[in-house]
């Protein structure tokens, strides 16, 4: 899974437990929580497989990877990909 | 420093190291909110003028005459969705986030689905936009 240039240009504003995120490339504003923000943060320094992203995210939240429901996690990654923020390639949790 | 109020309204003050605080906070968050509270949230805000010009991800599928095609359980079809200018009219593309007809897919019993016309009950054929349930939620 790879972070795309549009994600590197995001403008972040913390708002309680959430983040207001402006995406200049689409002129859209998104609301992320800590979990979705960590998904992007996990691939900021380089590509990672999806399973590793899930484990890293869970670890940062003080959870085990099993606490992050694969379907929900997968859906969020799919949405982030639709927004043009990351490229998952053929990486899916089900395939791992 | 942490102030703990007990049931009998006595207050205790303790000093925790940063590491203890982090661990305690993490445990408390898990206990209070439950793991479900950590489900990732990705919402896109809409505003009047921008909404008309914003697009969301979709896949244009050319449904054969049988009406059957492959999709995910939670996908939605939008037969009247409009492809955003400059985007492909087949395969992965973007459609306008504007109000349009959204139809839950009907499983055929095999691994395929149909997109049934709600008025006639017959499956749509030809090019139809298929969206993930999350993307479809932006087509209010």
């Amino acid at each position: 899974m790879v972070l795309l240039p549009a994600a590197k240009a995001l403008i972040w504003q913390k708002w309680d437990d959430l983040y207001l995120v402006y995406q200049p490339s689409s002129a859209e504003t998104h609301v992320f929580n800590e979990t979705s923000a960590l998904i992007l943060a996990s691939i900021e320094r380089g590509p990672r497989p999806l399973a590793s992203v899930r484990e890293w995210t869970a670890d940062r939240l003080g959870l085990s990877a099993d606490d992050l429901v694969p379907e929900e996690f997968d859906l969020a990654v799919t949405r982030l990909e639709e927004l043009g923020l990351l490229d998952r390639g053929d990486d899916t949790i089900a395939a791992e | 420093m942490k102030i703990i109020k007990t049931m009998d309204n006595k207050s205790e003050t303790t000093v925790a190291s940063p590491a203890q605080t982090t661990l305690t906070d993490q445990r408390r968050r898990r206990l209070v909110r439950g793991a479900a509270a950590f489900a990732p949230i990705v919402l896109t805000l809409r505003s009047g003028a921008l909404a008309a010009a914003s697009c969301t991800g979709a896949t244009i599928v050319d449904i054969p005459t049988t009406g059957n095609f492959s999709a995910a359980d939670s996908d939605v079809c939008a037969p009247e969705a409009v492809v955003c200018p400059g985007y492909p009219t087949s395969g992965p593309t973007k459609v306008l986030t504007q109000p349009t007809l959204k139809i839950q897919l009907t499983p055929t019993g095999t691994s395929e689905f149909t997109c049934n016309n709600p008025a006639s009950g017959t499956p749509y054929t030809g090019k139809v936009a298929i969206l993930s349930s999350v993307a479809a939620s932006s087509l209010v």
Side-chain angles (χ1 to χ4, degrees), chain A residues 20 27-36 61-63 67-68 72-73 75-76 79-80 82-83, chain B residues 26 29-30 33 35 37-45 50 54-57 94 132-135:
Chain A
L20 278 176
E28 288 175 320
T29 303
H30 314 296
V31 178
F32 294 166
N33 66 352
E34 197 176 358
T35 308
S36 40
L61 291 168
L63 306 169
D67 290 330
L68 293 175
E72 291 172 348
F73 198 81
L75 204 62
R79 185 61 183 148
L80 291 170
E82 285 173 348
L83 295 174
Chain B
Q26 285 174 349
R29 280 200 305 183
R30 286 185 59 179
R33 299 169 64 183
F38 294 97
I41 293 173
V42 181
L43 298 173
T44 299
L45 303 180
L50 279 178
S54 67
C55 302
T56 193
K94 300 247 181 189
S132 70
S133 56
V134 178

Side-chain angles (χ1 to χ4, degrees), chain B residues 29-81:
Chain B
R29 280 200 305 183
R30 286 185 59 179
L31 283 171
V32 172
R33 299 169 64 183
F38 294 97
I41 293 173
V42 181
L43 298 173
T44 299
L45 303 180
R46 303 178 67 215
S47 64
L50 279 178
S54 67
C55 302
T56 193
T59 301
I60 304 293
V61 174
D62 197 358
I63 303 176
T65 50
T66 59
N68 297 350
F69 60 98
S70 298
D73 286 339
S74 57
D75 284 352
V76 171
C77 59
E80 295 167 10

Side-chain angles (χ1 to χ4, degrees), chain B residues 14 41 64 81-82 87 89 112 116-117 123 130 138 140:
Chain B
T14 60
I41 293 173
V82 178
Y87 284 89
T89 54
E112 294 188 311
N116 294 339
N117 185 321
I130 308 296
S138 63
V140 180

Side-chain angles (χ1 to χ4, degrees), chain B residues 5-48:
Chain B
K5 269 207 163 178
T6 57
M7 292 293 281
D8 55 358
N9 271 338
K10 286 179 186 169
S11 296
E12 296 173 28
T13 304
T14 60
V15 178
S17 70
Q20 284 173 321
T21 304
T22 306
L23 276 175
T24 308
D25 285 350
Q26 285 174 349
R27 286 195 195 106
R28 190 173 58 211
R29 280 200 305 183
R30 286 185 59 179
L31 283 171
V32 172
R33 299 169 64 183
F38 294 97
I41 293 173
V42 181
L43 298 173
T44 299
L45 303 180
R46 303 178 67 215
S47 64

Side-chain angles (χ1 to χ4, degrees), chain A residues 1-3 39 42-43 46-55 70-71 73-79 81 86-96:
Chain A
M1 210 158 80
V2 182
L3 198 69
I39 292 172
S42 70
I43 50 173
R48 267 177 195 254
L50 185 56
S52 163
V53 170
R54 186 160 153 251
E55 279 170 23
E71 290 78 12
F73 198 81
D74 210 44
L75 204 62
V77 170
T78 300
R79 185 61 183 148
E81 186 174 39
L86 60 81
D87 183 1
R88 71 192 297 168
D90 295 330
D91 217 351
T92 62
I93 289 176
E96 285 162 355

Side-chain angles (χ1 to χ4, degrees), chain B residues 52-131:
Chain B
S54 67
C55 302
T56 193
T59 301
I60 304 293
V61 174
D62 197 358
I63 303 176
T65 50
T66 59
N68 297 350
F69 60 98
S70 298
D73 286 339
S74 57
D75 284 352
V76 171
C77 59
E80 295 167 10
V82 178
V83 174
C84 288
Y87 284 89
T89 54
S90 63
T93 188
K94 300 247 181 189
V95 295
L96 285 176
T97 51
Q98 61 186 15
T100 188
L101 175 65
K102 292 182 287 184
I103 304 167
Q104 202 65 46
L105 301 185
T106 305
T108 60
T110 61
S111 59
E112 294 188 311
F113 296 85
T114 58
C115 170
N116 294 339
N117 185 321
S120 65
T122 56
Y124 282 96
T125 57
K127 289 186 173 181
V128 173
I130 308 296
L131 292 86

